[in-house]
Amino acid sequence: MFPAASAEVNIIPVMAEDNSIKINDSELPDSLPVLALRNAVLFPGTVYPITIGRKKSLNLVNSAMEKGFFIAACPQVDVTKETPVSLSDFSGFGTVVKVLKTFEMPDGSVTALLQGFKRLRMERITAFAPFITADVTYLEDVAPSPTDTDIPVISDLLKEDMAEFMSQSSFGSKEPIAAMNSISDFGFLVNFIATTVDLDDFQQKVSLLEVSDLKERALKLLTMVRHQLEILHLKQEINSKVKSELDRQQREYFLNNQLRTIQEELGMDEEEDFTRMREAARKKDWPKSVATTFEKELKKLERYNPSAPEYSIQYNFLQFFLELPWGHYSKDNLDLAHAQKVLDDDHFGLEKVKERIIEYLAVLKLKGDMKSPILCLYGPPGVGKTSLGKSIARALGRKYVRISLGGVHDEAEIRGHRKTYVGALPGRILNAIHKAGTSNPVIVLDEVDKIGADGFKGDPSSALLEALDPEQNTAFHDNYLDVDYDLSKVLFITTANTVSTIQPALQDRMEMIPVSGYIEEEKLQIAKKFLLPKQIKEHGLSRGQLRVDKAALESIIQDYTHESGVRGLEKQIAKLARVTARKIAMNEEMPYSIGKSELKEYLGLPSASHDKQKGNELPGVVTGLAWTAMGGEILFIESSVSEGKGVLSTTGNLGDVMKESAQIAYQYIKAHPQLANLTAEEFAKKDLHVHVPEGAVPKDGPSAGITMVSSMISALRGQKVRSGIAMTGEMTLRGRVLPVGGIKEKILAAKRAGVHTIFISSENKKDIEDINEIYVKGLTFVYVDNIDDVIKGIFQE
């Protein structure tokens, strides 16, 4: 094993007695024993201590010390390699050195004091025992010219930079700096600094050893020293920042504690906030229990450290507590004529809703105080349910807030979170009260039928039960506020497209008011009085720039929209306004008034495909009436008959209830084959197929019962039904016709389809009488009690 030597940390090279030690090449042999150095490079003229770590290195040093021969100190390339075995394991350059002295250290290691004389280059290794021996070439340093004026400047720069490096690094003492400043020989100065400076990679020192020109070596060394100095400055800057941040945090901590103490002594800052809050609390018209709770929470805030996170949470809670309009109510405008005018100005029709609001105002005017009703407006989209809430608020002179409940699936959205949770917030209802600034606003709970439910986060519709119950909402409990709040004066208006998805208990707490769709005459009036003026204003036009005649509006309603409401109609009118604005901006020709013939240019081809009543040209085709969340629709029931074994099949994406209606109809005909002009034996040999067109659309419900039995009998007889008729009604196995719902929507669908006669259950007569005459104008109703009544009236003679 041939060990290598390694340099100790922060060891300063010792200057030789003669700074310009000279030896003749004749004194030096052609080959020398090699001492492999780890992480250390010796330069000529310096005396440097090396710790010996390997046994053969120690033998070489002791032998050289004893016999006084020169050795070659060469840096090892791979410092982790234990035994150099070839020339490539060495850096190639080294220094001729003599061992001056060896010391045994307290830890048992040996340190050798080596003196450098001349640079050399290893040419080849000639032996490995007893020591590595190599042929070497001795190299001379090229001294600068005595007249070179750069040399003093370079010397001064080297000394200045190295002095700064040594003073700021871990050398710590002034002796090495004084020793360096006393050096006058340029070559020795360069070698001294090169040996002393601590570089990141010792191979950089090897590159210095390779340079023969002392001036070039000095400039290269100056660059390295300055680079190390920059790294040292950067480290110090980073350390300073870290220390400064730690000091700042400690300083803020102590200052906050001192500030808290001073504030407690002088009653400053926070005490002013506490006084302000107490003063505001005294002016609040709230129950004694609420005042007690507020004072308790305020005292809790006073005990908190202002720098603690709990302080801001508690402070925000108390601010919200104070900002709620406890006992503050806006004054209602009880002028019934004014209220009626506002409602009529904003909405056409909707008489039932308007009547209910006027009734509420009338009682309020007589009694002076009453609980607000909870109204639920349900009907198809686009009929004005949501905007009606804003009109009601305007009519009453109250604040208006809308809360959208579509997709809400967390109970905490309604009741709030307990304030102990991170990021706790009050519920939407109290937030609405806070936003309104009064305790009696009009709050519209939009899309109450679309509330979601999450088993992990509770049921929001159940959370609404308390808020929407007039007997309970005098003490509504929000988890965030954690005290009762009176909602009895709030006028809640909920909206829905269908009541089937609303929880029954929630339905029971509300007054259900249907808001049906509009007939063509109503849509025409709404377009003329409301939609057209609104779009003219929103698009920056004047009345004279956009005129639409009656025929065009009727065509838009019939051919470009297919809806119960007027949302699609408004979009088409908005498109007319946009095209008009473009034509005006581009100075294009425009008609004085947009007529039916110009609609294709403005709106394109008609997009609505109404199912017009086809006249039932073939046997087995009967028109039914259906209700959907989008309003009323007409439904064609088709039946075909073929020879077979008495099998009934149904198609058209029918739901279970509708399939049962088909089975009931089939079984009724089977029990009464004479209705189809057949005997029982003949009927048993007939297969029936019932189909409801638009198979991609799911269909369900019992109201197609009489339509199905009529379609089957028509097909079995081979006799078509009369033109212009439609029907709706559930049938029993005994042939009774039962009443159904959605009558007004179905009537509107029938009128759109060109139907003039409707067969309906006698028990629905009261619903027809309840409908405004304008809706039933032009229709004939045939009231039936059983299937026989239906069959007698539907066939042509």
Side-chain angles (χ1 to χ4, degrees), residues 6 42 181 214 242 269 271 283 297 374 382 394-395 404 461 513 539 552 658 714 717 764 780:
S6 61
L42 263 73
N181 289 333
L214 282 174
V242 173
D269 292 335
E271 194 59 42
K283 298 176 182 177
E297 295 293 334
I374 314 292
R394 196 160 73 88
S404 178
S461 61
I513 301 177
H539 288 81
M658 207 163 181
S714 172
R717 283 188 180 188
N764 280 121
T780 300

Side-chain angles (χ1 to χ4, degrees), residues 498-744:
T498 176
V499 297
S500 60
T501 56
I502 302 177
Q503 191 184 120
L506 191 57
Q507 279 192 53
D508 187 55
R509 284 162 167 76
M510 301 185 291
E511 290 185 45
M512 310 301 292
I513 301 177
V515 183
S516 304
Y518 301 106
I519 58 175
E520 288 185 11
E521 290 81 358
E522 287 179 315
K523 289 183 180 181
L524 183 62
Q525 294 301 319
I526 292 170
K528 288 168 65 177
K529 294 181 180 179
F530 300 99
L531 304 183
L532 191 56
K534 177 184 175 185
Q535 293 304 322
I536 288 173
K537 182 180 179 182
E538 288 188 358
H539 288 81
L541 303 172
S542 65
R543 284 188 174 274
Q545 291 174 319
L546 178 57
R547 297 183 181 90
V548 186
D549 64 27
K550 181 180 177 182
L553 287 175
E554 287 175 343
S555 179
I556 294 173
I557 293 166
Q558 293 169 0
D559 302 327
Y560 290 87
T561 63
H562 179 47
E563 58 180 349
S564 295
V566 292
R567 192 168 287 153
L569 176 59
E570 184 175 12
K571 290 176 183 176
Q572 296 299 329
I573 294 175
K575 190 172 182 181
L576 289 179
R578 290 196 302 273
V579 176
T580 301
R582 175 176 60 80
K583 285 178 174 289
I584 293 172
M586 299 179 71
N587 297 319
E588 296 180 14
E589 266 191 58
M590 288 177 52
Y592 175 78
S593 176
I594 297 174
K596 186 176 180 179
S597 58
E598 283 82 31
L599 287 182
K600 186 176 179 182
E601 179 189 352
Y602 281 77
L603 301 180
L605 294 172
S607 55
S609 56
H610 288 294
D611 286 328
K612 291 292 183 184
Q613 215 273 347
K614 303 293 194 300
N616 304 331
E617 293 86 355
L618 297 172
V621 181
V622 181
T623 305
L625 299 174
W627 179 91
T628 70
M630 302 297 291
E633 298 283 350
I634 66 167
L635 203 65
F636 296 107
I637 308 293
E638 300 176 350
S639 295
S640 66
V641 63
S642 60
E643 297 296 326
K645 299 179 181 180
V647 176
L648 171 69
S649 56
T650 58
T651 54
N653 202 355
L654 308 184
D656 291 340
V657 177
M658 207 163 181
K659 287 178 181 178
E660 288 175 1
S661 295
Q663 284 289 344
I664 291 169
Y666 179 78
Q667 292 298 332
Y668 183 80
I669 299 171
K670 188 174 181 179
H672 304 85
Q674 68 275 9
L675 291 174
N677 297 334
L678 297 173
T679 65
E681 292 77 12
E682 289 172 332
F683 182 77
K685 295 178 182 178
K686 304 289 185 183
D687 284 351
L688 277 169
H689 183 177
V690 178
H691 175 67
V692 184
E694 297 187 34
V697 181
K699 309 166 192 73
D700 207 359
S703 62
I706 65 171
T707 315
M708 285 186 165
V709 74
S710 300
S711 174
M712 290 180 191
I713 291 174
S714 172
L716 289 166
R717 283 188 180 188
Q719 185 179 5
K720 60 186 179 181
V721 300
R722 285 166 37 210
S723 177
I725 69 168
M727 58 189 70
T728 182
E730 180 181 357
M731 71 168 289
T732 68
L733 207 52
R734 294 174 294 163
R736 281 190 60 217
V737 180
L738 302 180
V740 291
I743 298 301
K744 185 178 178 183

